[in-house]
Amino acid sequence: MAQNNMYNLVTLIKRLEVATTRLEDIASSTIELPQAVPALAQATASPPEQSNGATPLPSASPSVSPANSIPHDPLPESVEEFDSFISQSVDKYVSASDKLGGLIAEQASKVLDGFKQQRHFLLISTKAKKPDISVSADMAVYQELLNPINEALMAVGEIKESNRGSPVFTQLSAVAEGIMVLAWVTVDSKPSKHVEESLSSAQFFGNRVLSEHKEKNPDQVRWIQSFYQIFRDLTEYVKRYFPNGVTWNHQGQSAADVAKTISTSGTAAPPPPPPPPSAPSAAGGAPPPPPPPPPPPFVLQPPVDSNESATQADSGFSAVFDEINKGGDVTKGLRKVDKSQMTHKNPSLRASSIVSDQDSSTRGKSAPGKKPKPESMRVKKPPKKELDGNKWTIENYEKQTEPIEIEVSMSQSVLISKCNHSTIILKGKANAVTIENTQRLSLVVDSLVSTVDVVKSSNFALQVIGHLPTVMLDQLDGAQIYLGKESISTRIFSSKSSSINVNVLAGDEDDYVEIPLPYQICSQFDEKKGEMVNEIVEHAG
């Protein structure tokens, strides 16, 4: 008899241990005890009566309400502070928007929804490992976590775009420009800078609201100030908790699993109740096995059209971050060029613009700018000398053995371009001469009304027979200028030029004297004069 009672006592203790373990598992999973489990609690509080007259054991614990006895996991400090930020800063802005009503209130509700979705994202980051964006599956999960934030962001912008004729379009634009602040969770380095830049964007339109309603409508002023305060408070929050970007739990579960167990409100979704345990046999046999662990919770997802989901995946900043965060995979889309398609190994391809017959869609839509070809590889154009109206054009002359002579008048100007190793003689009195991109060009002029302007040339020579008021030299490398008696007072302006010599007639025999033009200047600030003093550097020797 004593052995039978001892056996029943051991059996009861085992059953109590199983029930207690089950209750502890439920409590640690932060899931409230379902209503179908009281039978389990009753089995723990008062074990079934023994038919053999054994003394009943005292209750293991007093009867406690399941909702009050099972505590939830405490929220991380960063999430609690974000809740305070929403309740203090964002809600104040929403209240000010509701007071104005209309489209402003509607847009404010979307802003509030965006911050709530961001709070859900931050809660997941405290419990999950950071998705590996180099893996396509993890990248899809990361985009799925950002999609609710992106949808709220797009909804705010859509309200602005669809109401361009509204009298509150400036207010809608201020919020639409600043809503990009929600993207700070994707910035890995100093996200507080992104928040500050978003405030600057919002102030472009927000300051207009201040100037327009400063003395007319105090509610508008309070509204825009409450919107600005969101950025200031968020900046302090980000600097304190996420100075270098959102931190993830390195020892946590995968983001996909955590997202399934956490609803948008931040609590775990309750699993379906397990079946009640079967009644013990009257004979006091072996205890029944413990109930199976609860299945993974099911989170309802609204049905999304396939076309709409594809559009959402490709739109907004989530698609941009998808491209940016590919890392080394960003070059996977580039095709390999075969040797037969390389122009430097196949000179025959250079004569044609067609290199490959492959589909152009596989290539990038834009190509980098082409560098100019060296002179030796450029196609030579035929020489040209023509008069168009009052303008002479002389170009593309190379190594002419005979001088090129032109009769000019006072109403005509002359353009000389890309003429090398040649001599040009202008007979008569022209208005002006412009020379560009020449090498070893010699120019002889009788007289001019205004100037000779020389740009980007080298080894240039100019001889003036009659009168010439001005010579302008820019980016020259080497020049010889011969001035006659009538042009002895010609003014010469030079910039970015070197090795320029002026030859003037001097002496009884009218011989040319070469005078170099200075191109090295020494500058020094004179404290007494209060100005910069420039002196020509002379080299003696």
Side-chain angles (χ1 to χ4, degrees), residues 274-483:
S278 58
S281 59
F298 177 74
V299 180
L300 293 177
Q301 297 285 351
V304 179
D305 184 68
S306 59
N307 295 331
E308 180 181 357
S309 62
T311 303
Q312 293 177 355
D314 295 336
S315 61
F317 63 85
S318 61
V320 178
F321 292 123
D322 184 14
E323 295 296 327
I324 294 176
N325 294 324
K326 280 184 177 180
D329 296 339
V330 73
T331 58
K332 282 189 175 180
L334 301 178
R335 65 184 182 88
K336 185 177 181 180
V337 180
D338 189 74
K339 292 183 178 180
S340 61
Q341 300 172 342
M342 298 180 181
T343 56
H344 66 284
K345 294 188 177 181
N346 297 273
S348 60
L349 295 177
R350 300 173 188 168
S352 173
S353 61
I354 302 175
V355 178
S356 174
D357 57 353
Q358 293 189 2
D359 185 8
S360 61
S361 62
T362 59
R363 304 178 187 176
K365 294 184 179 180
S366 60
K370 295 182 179 179
K371 295 182 178 180
K373 292 182 179 179
E375 292 291 338
S376 59
M377 295 182 62
R378 292 182 182 178
V379 178
K380 294 183 179 180
K381 296 181 181 180
K384 177 181 178 182
K385 182 181 71 172
E386 66 177 12
L387 176 62
D388 185 6
N390 291 327
K391 181 178 181 180
W392 277 99
T393 301
I394 306 173
E395 60 184 5
N396 302 320
Y397 280 91
E398 293 281 347
K399 299 181 179 179
Q400 294 293 310
T401 57
E402 297 294 330
I404 304 169
E405 298 184 0
I406 298 176
E407 294 286 342
V408 294
S409 64
M410 293 180 60
S411 62
Q412 295 174 349
S413 61
V414 182
L415 172 63
I416 303 173
S417 176
K418 299 178 181 178
C419 294
N420 304 322
H421 299 83
S422 302
T423 301
I424 299 176
I425 301 175
L426 303 182
K427 294 183 176 182
K429 189 174 184 179
N431 190 317
V433 177
T434 301
I435 303 171
E436 62 177 11
N437 297 317
T438 64
Q439 292 182 2
R440 297 189 178 278
L441 174 70
S442 299
L443 176 66
V444 180
V445 298
D446 285 347
S447 295
L448 289 179
V449 175
S450 57
T451 64
V452 172
D453 192 354
V454 189
V455 181
K456 293 183 179 179
S457 300
S458 61
N459 298 315
F460 171 72
L462 171 65
Q463 182 178 4
V464 183
I465 306 298
H467 177 70
L468 174 61
T470 308
V471 177
M472 303 184 69
L473 309 176
D474 185 18
Q475 302 181 50
L476 258 69
D477 183 12
Q480 293 286 341
I481 300 175
Y482 297 87
L483 301 178

Side-chain angles (χ1 to χ4, degrees), residues 252-265:
Q253 301 177 359
S254 65
D257 295 338
V258 174
K260 293 178 181 179
T261 59
I262 298 180
S263 63
T264 55
S265 62

Side-chain angles (χ1 to χ4, degrees), residues 75-85 122 125-126 184 191-192 233-248:
L75 288 174
E77 183 181 356
S78 60
V79 179
E80 287 184 346
E81 285 297 322
F82 198 79
D83 289 339
S84 301
F85 159 73
L122 294 175
S125 68
T126 62
W184 73 266
S192 59
D233 293 344
L234 183 59
T235 300
E236 296 301 323
Y237 169 81
V238 174
K239 286 182 178 179
R240 179 179 178 184
Y241 292 100
F242 305 106
N244 296 313
V246 175
T247 55
W248 298 73

Side-chain angles (χ1 to χ4, degrees), residues 194-260:
H194 176 80
V195 180
E196 294 172 352
E197 292 173 358
S198 300
L199 173 60
S200 300
S201 300
Q203 286 176 334
F204 180 80
F205 289 98
N207 289 344
R208 295 185 186 179
V209 178
L210 284 176
S211 60
E212 292 176 4
H213 301 277
K214 187 174 183 180
E215 298 179 356
K216 298 178 182 180
N217 192 341
D219 290 339
Q220 290 279 1
V221 176
R222 284 192 290 268
W223 171 80
I224 193 63
Q225 291 291 6
S226 65
F227 186 61
Y228 288 170
Q229 192 61 38
I230 291 177
F231 297 87
R232 299 186 182 102
D233 293 344
L234 183 59
T235 300
E236 296 301 323
Y237 169 81
V238 174
K239 286 182 178 179
R240 179 179 178 184
Y241 292 100
F242 305 106
N244 296 313
V246 175
T247 55
W248 298 73
N249 189 343
H250 299 291
Q251 299 179 351
Q253 301 177 359
S254 65
D257 295 338
V258 174
K260 293 178 181 179

